[in-house]
Amino acid sequence: MDKDHALEEMMGKLGDFGRYQCFQFILHVLGAMTAGMHMLSLVTVAAVPDHRCFLPGVDNTSHTEPWNSSLVLAAIPINEHGKLDNCRKYGVNNDTLVDCQQWVYDTRYYSSSRAIEWDFVCDRRWMGAAAQTAYMLGVVCGSLLFGRLSDKLGRRKAFLWSGILQLLLGTSVAFTADYYSFMALRFLYGIFGSGSYIAGFVLTMEIAGPSKRTICGVAFQIMFAVGIMLLPAWGYFVDNRFYLQIIYALHAVVLLPHWFLMDESPRWLWSQGRARESVAIIEKALKFNGSSEVIDTPSLVSHCKATCAKYTDEHSAATTDLFKTPKMLKKTLIICGCWFVNAVVYYGLSLNTGKLNGNPYFLMFLMGVVELPAYVIIVYFLDRVGHRALISTMMVLGGIACLVIVALPHGSTPTTVFVMIGKLFISGSYSIIYKYSAELFPTVVRSSGVGLGSMCASVSGAFTPLINLLDTLNPKIPTILFGFLALLSGFSTFFLPETLGRSLPQSLEDGERFGVGDTCFTNCSGRRMSTESVELPETMVPLDNMEKK
């Protein structure tokens, strides 16, 4: 399929990553930092401190009895972990247990949060979980909305409007005094909270050369982790949930200068038949890079008009085509399962930081820091051992770490260590899945395939807070579930073909034949490829509907 060599030749004049691409990339990647911050903001804004029953006659509005007081120990039972029961106290004659109606909170780390304000504890824990789920459901809708808006209105407009609405909605959430209004605003906040990430990632993939796309994709993951690290950093200094939410929202201000600095994707403009604007951006970029390359604008404009109709016809394939043939169906189900599991384990470990013993701010900061070694590992090994081997290994090791946690004492230092190890490996596999998916699907449905996978990740992210509620039945159930899912999904990737060093499939027929006979059981190396599938030249097409963590 000879799709638009003129466009590729024009983009090739820029080089893989000159000064212009670097400047635009810095603008794009800031969207990942704000996305990471908004995504997990409830971990601090709605933090649940240690708590016990309020004891009439012992506690009052101006005084709470120390937790190790004999009066408190006589009124509240000790749980299996050697701590005061969070949700029950002794009845009148100390022969029965009754549920708490009011609570006293340990203010050593948090004195202000939505959880304290609205009592997201005991039989009201669902309220905190539902608030996070509302945000993640917004992310699901946002991945659909911004994928469509990016295609219709342009990547730049989607990025900029997302930044503005992050600022407005994030600030509005801080002022909300009613729980259900809070839920509604959290849903809207989720729609736009990751919009800049989606549009920014696509913009970067469309201006960076092939040799730099891996490192650029990893940089987006790093900035997402930086956003997570900023959450506890601000929380440590600002112990007030109102001002803390305002500060998180104000980080979107860094996206506002993009109105004057950021350019539209030349590839998107070309695909819309707007060749003059596309060429003008390339000419600007060449000057920025100090290049002496010359662009033949009239020839390119006429070529674009002649090929625009053909470009539109080539993209008539739909998401449903991913399920129509047996081998494409198998690949689609496995890769969507990987998206789902990576997200559920990633957010499951991140949201459980408060259950670890120690300073919650430091522990959450570590949750972001441990992602960085994973990205170093990926940059070093990805082009050496291949996508399949690395993603399967990291998912299996992440699953094993989760299962080891189950066998360790609750709240112990080894437990914290293995939680961090699990987060490291699952962060690594999560970052690979973007590029692997884009290379696995044929060109005509590549955007649809990656969009479908990212939607699966968003859906699983919405379910994760609800899965964590299963710990009321047994504290080990969520972690066991995370571990087995990671193992199952990691082993399933053994049946996918390797994409490293391969010319990628373009048509649906190519996709069905791609990687035939190439599984980890026939060849686990990324070096030696099966010769049974077609080798066709691949051209870059705009990616849409992409969404992270």
Side-chain angles (χ1 to χ4, degrees):
M1 186 183 292
D2 182 18
K3 193 174 70 70
D4 227 332
H5 288 295
L7 172 63
E8 298 304 323
E9 184 179 349
M10 180 179 72
M11 295 298 298
K13 292 179 183 293
L14 286 179
D16 276 8
F17 204 73
R19 288 198 298 268
Y20 173 79
Q21 291 103 313
C22 181
F23 176 69
Q24 292 293 312
F25 165 72
I26 292 170
L27 299 178
H28 302 160
V29 82
L30 289 174
M33 182 269 291
T34 61
M37 182 172 291
H38 299 316
M39 188 80 72
L40 295 176
S41 60
L42 276 191
V43 175
T44 52
V45 172
V48 182
D50 199 7
H51 49 280
R52 63 167 175 82
C53 291
F54 179 87
L55 303 173
V58 176
D59 303 310
N60 56 57
T61 55
S62 59
H63 170 76
T64 57
E65 193 72 9
W67 288 39
N68 59 354
S69 162
S70 58
L71 293 174
V72 172
L73 294 174
I76 298 177
I78 302 297
N79 62 24
E80 65 272 20
H81 304 302
K83 297 182 177 181
L84 293 176
D85 194 299
N86 298 131
C87 303
R88 297 176 299 173
K89 62 181 179 179
Y90 290 118
V92 177
N93 298 320
N94 283 0
D95 56 353
T96 59
L97 292 174
V98 297
D99 293 333
C100 303
Q101 300 303 314
Q102 288 180 274
W103 291 266
V104 171
Y105 294 93
D106 183 353
T107 57
R108 177 174 39 168
Y109 297 117
Y110 305 102
S111 64
S112 171
S113 81
R114 288 291 191 180
I116 297 173
E117 183 180 331
W118 287 329
D119 293 324
F120 292 166
V121 296
C122 301
D123 59 351
R124 295 166 62 89
R125 280 184 63 205
W126 66 269
M127 298 174 71
Q132 181 64 23
T133 295
Y135 184 94
M136 296 305 297
L137 288 175
V139 172
V140 175
C141 295
S143 65
L144 297 173
L145 175 65
F146 277 93
R148 193 64 178 162
L149 287 178
S150 291
D151 279 347
K152 290 293 183 182
L153 304 179
R155 286 78 163 101
R156 181 176 177 273
K157 285 185 179 178
F159 185 104
L160 297 174
W161 279 107
S162 173
I164 292 173
L165 289 165
Q166 283 177 32
L167 177 62
L168 296 177
L169 290 167
T171 304
S172 300
V173 167
F175 286 92
T176 308
D178 169 72
Y179 174 73
Y180 292 102
S181 299
F182 176 75
M183 287 273 287
L185 280 174
R186 286 280 303 172
F187 173 76
L188 295 175
Y189 190 22
I191 291 176
F192 300 100
S194 293
S196 294
Y197 182 101
I198 300 167
F201 188 90
V202 173
L203 276 163
T204 292
M205 291 299 106
E206 291 181 346
I207 65 167
S211 68
K212 301 300 181 183
R213 286 176 193 148
T214 296
I215 189 66
C216 286
V218 170
F220 266 80
Q221 303 289 341
I222 291 173
M223 287 302 291
F224 190 89
V226 168
I228 293 175
M229 288 186 276
L230 285 172
L231 287 172
W234 280 114
Y236 180 81
F237 293 106
V238 182
D239 186 18
N240 181 290
R241 65 91 184 158
F242 175 81
Y243 293 115
L244 197 56
Q245 179 62 53
I246 293 291
I247 289 171
Y248 293 158
L250 287 176
H251 279 74
V253 169
V254 302
L255 306 180
L256 301 186
H258 292 43
W259 277 99
F260 311 102
L261 302 173
M262 194 169 80
D263 293 328
E264 183 55 87
S265 164
R267 291 182 182 275
W268 179 81
L269 290 168
W270 185 276
S271 73
Q272 301 298 304
R274 295 162 61 177
R276 289 191 184 278
E277 296 170 70
S278 178
V279 173
I281 290 175
I282 297 299
E283 289 176 332
K284 170 186 172 182
L286 289 171
K287 290 179 182 178
F288 200 100
N289 287 346
S291 172
S292 58
E293 291 279 0
V294 178
I295 299 291
D296 185 357
T297 301
S299 174
L300 286 168
V301 171
S302 61
H303 186 88
C304 178
K305 291 179 179 178
T307 59
C308 189
K310 184 178 74 169
Y311 181 92
T312 303
D313 292 340
E314 288 176 352
H315 288 77
S316 59
T319 304
T320 54
D321 291 310
L322 295 168
F323 302 93
K324 289 181 178 179
T325 54
K327 292 183 178 62
M328 278 303 303
L329 173 64
K330 182 185 76 171
K331 295 172 191 174
T332 301
L333 292 178
I334 292 174
I335 207 71
C336 285
C338 286
W339 280 92
F340 185 95
V341 172
N342 273 283
V344 80
V345 179
Y346 180 92
Y347 291 115
L349 294 175
S350 299
L351 294 172
N352 278 328
T353 307
K355 297 179 182 178
L356 302 175
N357 280 351
N359 187 314
Y361 297 113
F362 178 68
L363 290 171
M364 189 176 181
F365 184 80
L366 276 183
M367 279 286 189
V369 170
V370 296
E371 295 190 28
L372 304 184
Y375 303 140
V376 174
I377 292 170
I378 289 164
V379 170
Y380 184 79
F381 284 106
L382 190 61
D383 292 333
R384 290 173 170 82
V385 302
H387 299 70
R388 178 183 59 204
L390 199 54
I391 194 172
S392 60
T393 300
M394 288 191 138
M395 290 191 74
V396 168
L397 291 175
I400 292 172
C402 289
L403 296 180
V404 170
I405 293 167
V406 175
L408 296 174
H410 178 81
S412 65
T413 299
T415 299
T416 302
V417 170
F418 274 92
V419 167
M420 298 302 169
I421 291 173
K423 179 71 182 300
L424 183 152
F425 285 121
I426 212 67
S427 298
S429 63
Y430 203 170
S431 64
I432 300 169
I433 196 71
Y434 277 90
K435 189 169 185 287
Y436 191 30
S437 299
E439 293 176 346
L440 193 62
F441 293 115
T443 300
V444 293
V445 287
R446 184 163 296 139
S447 295
S448 298
V450 176
L452 178 65
S454 65
M455 191 191 316
C456 290
S458 299
V459 170
S460 70
F463 284 139
T464 302
L466 305 179
I467 292 173
N468 282 333
L469 293 179
L470 295 174
D471 65 1
T472 56
L473 302 175
N474 187 311
K476 297 180 179 181
I477 289 178
T479 311
I480 291 173
L481 190 59
F482 297 152
F484 277 113
L485 284 174
L487 287 175
L488 179 63
S489 186
F491 283 121
S492 73
T493 60
F494 289 168
F495 295 93
L496 292 175
E498 180 55 69
T499 59
L500 178 64
R502 299 287 298 274
S503 295
L504 303 184
Q506 301 213 57
S507 68
L508 293 171
E509 293 78 9
D510 299 338
E512 181 67 5
R513 296 193 299 269
F514 182 76
V516 171
D518 183 10
T519 70
C520 195
F521 302 103
T522 59
N523 172 27
C524 263
S525 169
R527 295 289 182 188
R528 294 177 290 109
M529 302 301 162
S530 167
T531 58
E532 295 184 41
S533 60
V534 294
E535 301 287 337
L536 293 174
E538 188 239 357
T539 51
M540 177 73 179
V541 296
L543 299 175
D544 63 341
N545 290 339
M546 298 189 71
E547 193 277 322
K548 161 87 172 102
K549 298 172 179 157

